[in-house]
Amino acid sequence: MSASSRRVLVLMGGRSSEHDISLASARSVVEALRQSGHDVASVEIGRDGRWSLASPFASDLPRSPSRLTEAVPFPSASAEVVRALASAEIVVPVLHGPFGEDGTVQGLLELLDLPYVGSGVAASAVCMDKDLMKAVLRDRGIPVTRSVTLRHGDPAVHPFDYPVFVKPARLGSSVGITKVRQSEELEPAVALARRHDDKVLIEEYVPGIEVECSVLGNERPVASLPGEIVAHGFSGEDWYDYSAKYDQGGMDLIVPPRIPPEQVERVREISVDAFVATECEGMARVDCFVRPDGQVLVNELNTIPGFTATSVYARLFEASGLPYTALLDRLIELALERHARRSALRY
């Protein structure tokens, strides 16, 4: 390994319905990190929550296994998993959705005093919860898409014209989301969303162009060129659903988007503002709508976006001049910088 190489542990899979998407992202990350000269191990978290070693480090040099086991007991983890955690210099959680992107794994890594890529506990939890994320952004004066929140037992009512979108508050990859075109479809859509979360959002339909922007950094984040999403609806839908996101040829990404230059800059500006307002670090993909009148609205922040070389987050930075392997190296640097900064704090 070179002087800048690290022992990097990649976490993949997870308990959420986005398990398979995580595996695809993680395999791409592992391959790219190895090509960059890092010593990479991977741990797969099953849908049942069990951790298993998928691939070991080439050089097994434990940091301090006793410190790990003293910090957090691992009664159900194998000795190989504990040894991999103890050997890692940095962890890359490639976990989408609940039990990975929502601050839970980040909290564990904080307890273990392990540097990790991406946002911390609070930002991860807030951005995973679209209701809380919108509340934070509204408080900071950042325009967001309008929605109402249904908690357990709330009736399915809303003030918007049809169509509307119904979605779980704390999930991603368009899982459990329905475009509701008439009132008779509302209750079944809410029931579907409640299979995934006991908090559900009904969002106002926003006419216009869907534009996504990648953000990278800690104290001084930078935005990529934005990209316009053109979904083809292979599953019969006319919006950016699961099929459009993950099926081959399901969508086109147009960079830069077909909007005026001042709106492109507004998307970049508002994406960084949203990243800072929610206290994200490392990376996030910000999903926006550009209305016909030119107004830009933030819809979602994804703190662990899809991360294959052909995923939107990486493609936008590739188009901005930062290749995939260099992007991963930069994320590792940012994680180590944050850990060093926070390690200097006194508690």
Side-chain angles (χ1 to χ4, degrees):
M1 293 192 295
S2 69
S4 60
S5 297
R6 300 284 182 175
R7 286 192 305 279
V8 184
L9 179 65
V10 175
L11 298 180
M12 60 185 182
R15 291 171 57 189
S16 86
S17 53
E18 299 176 77
H19 178 95
D20 291 341
I21 302 161
S22 166
L23 294 181
S25 291
R27 292 181 187 118
S28 182
V29 168
V30 167
E31 181 181 356
L33 288 171
R34 285 178 176 156
Q35 288 176 357
S36 293
H38 298 287
D39 186 4
V40 185
S42 58
V43 168
E44 181 174 342
I45 304 171
R47 291 296 300 271
D48 61 359
R50 292 182 178 273
W51 293 40
S52 61
L53 187 66
S55 60
F57 287 114
S59 57
D60 190 14
L61 303 171
R63 295 165 71 239
S64 175
S66 61
R67 184 172 66 166
L68 279 181
T69 53
E70 288 168 5
V72 177
F74 287 90
S76 62
S78 67
E80 290 80 9
V81 168
V82 175
R83 189 155 49 245
L85 283 164
S87 301
E89 293 179 277
I90 185 167
V91 176
V92 183
V94 189
L95 300 165
H96 307 313
F99 311 108
E101 193 176 352
D102 59 355
T104 50
V105 165
Q106 290 76 11
L108 173 63
L109 297 174
E110 291 282 355
L111 289 172
L112 298 180
D113 192 29
L114 279 168
Y116 59 91
V117 165
S119 291
V121 175
S124 298
V126 166
C127 291
M128 185 83 255
D129 189 319
K130 300 170 186 67
D131 174 47
L132 295 181
M133 179 270 295
K134 289 184 180 185
V136 170
L137 296 187
R138 281 193 299 264
D139 185 67
R140 300 296 178 90
I142 297 171
V144 297
T145 52
R146 294 201 303 163
S147 60
V148 296
T149 302
L150 307 182
R151 292 173 175 81
H152 182 69
D154 287 348
V157 295
H158 64 87
F160 309 123
D161 294 331
Y162 287 95
V164 296
F165 284 95
V166 176
K167 61 178 64 174
R170 294 163 289 207
L171 203 59
S173 295
S174 298
V175 174
I177 299 181
T178 306
K179 184 177 182 179
V180 177
R181 294 169 176 81
Q182 54 191 3
S183 59
E184 292 79 7
E185 300 172 355
L186 183 62
E187 288 286 357
V190 171
L192 172 63
R194 280 182 166 151
R195 290 173 56 187
H196 299 279
D197 197 346
D198 56 9
K199 184 159 72 165
V200 171
L201 266 62
I202 302 177
E203 287 186 344
E204 180 182 35
Y205 170 74
V206 179
I209 297 173
E210 186 165 357
V211 176
E212 298 185 353
C213 187
S214 301
V215 182
L216 174 71
N218 288 342
E219 294 94 340
R220 291 178 292 278
V222 296
S224 70
L225 286 170
E228 176 184 345
I229 302 296
V230 180
H232 299 307
F234 288 168
S235 61
E237 300 290 354
D238 59 353
W239 53 281
Y240 194 30
D241 68 343
Y242 187 97
S243 171
K245 287 181 178 179
Y246 299 113
D247 287 350
Q248 184 72 28
M251 66 83 136
D252 291 324
L253 180 66
I254 301 173
V255 185
R258 294 169 296 184
I259 56 178
E262 61 271 18
Q263 291 176 11
V264 170
E265 288 309 307
R266 177 57 177 156
V267 169
R268 299 181 73 187
E269 175 187 39
I270 204 171
S271 296
V272 170
D273 288 347
F275 187 93
V276 172
T278 51
E279 298 191 353
C280 287
E281 292 177 289
M283 63 179 171
R285 194 193 69 234
V286 184
D287 301 347
C288 302
F289 288 108
V290 181
R291 295 169 54 94
D293 63 5
Q295 184 186 23
V296 178
L297 304 176
V298 174
N299 191 44
E300 294 184 13
L301 276 83
N302 295 271
T303 55
I304 306 182
F307 219 97
T308 69
T310 57
S311 295
V312 171
Y313 183 87
R315 288 171 66 184
L316 291 177
F317 268 116
E318 181 86 36
S320 305
L322 188 61
Y324 187 64
T325 54
L327 175 61
L328 283 167
D329 284 338
R330 180 59 184 145
L331 285 167
I332 287 173
E333 292 171 5
L334 289 166
L336 293 170
E337 288 171 11
R338 177 184 62 189
H339 185 262
R341 184 183 76 242
R342 291 186 61 82
S343 295
L345 300 174
R346 301 181 67 177
Y347 296 100

